Amino acid sequence: MKVIVNTSGFYGGTWFEASDKEVSMPDGVARAFLPPRGHQLSLPSSSKKAGGKAAVKPDTVKSE
C-alpha cells in the first residue's frame, strides 16, 4: 500500500522518515496507523480521489 508518513518511526520493524513522498508499506502494518485508528500515516491525495486505489492512466499507442 502506498502511504504518506506523517510521523517518523518504526512501522512493522522498519524505520520510516516523515516526508511528503509516497512510500510502500505492507497493508497489515499501514492500516493500524491510518485514520480513524491513527494519525501517523495518511493516504496520498491521488488514492483518496480514486476510492482508495491509485489512479492509473492506460497506455496509449500512437500509430504513425
Side-chain angles (χ1 to χ4, degrees), residues 13-53:
T14 303
W15 179 263
F16 289 91
E17 287 289 330
S19 73
D20 293 334
K21 296 180 182 179
E22 293 181 14
V23 296
S24 292
M25 188 178 293
D27 288 5
V29 173
R31 291 192 192 285
F33 300 98
L34 287 168
R37 294 184 187 111
H39 64 279
Q40 296 89 344
L41 305 177
S42 60
L43 293 173
S45 60
S46 61
S47 293
K48 290 178 187 173
K49 293 178 185 173
K53 304 243 180 208

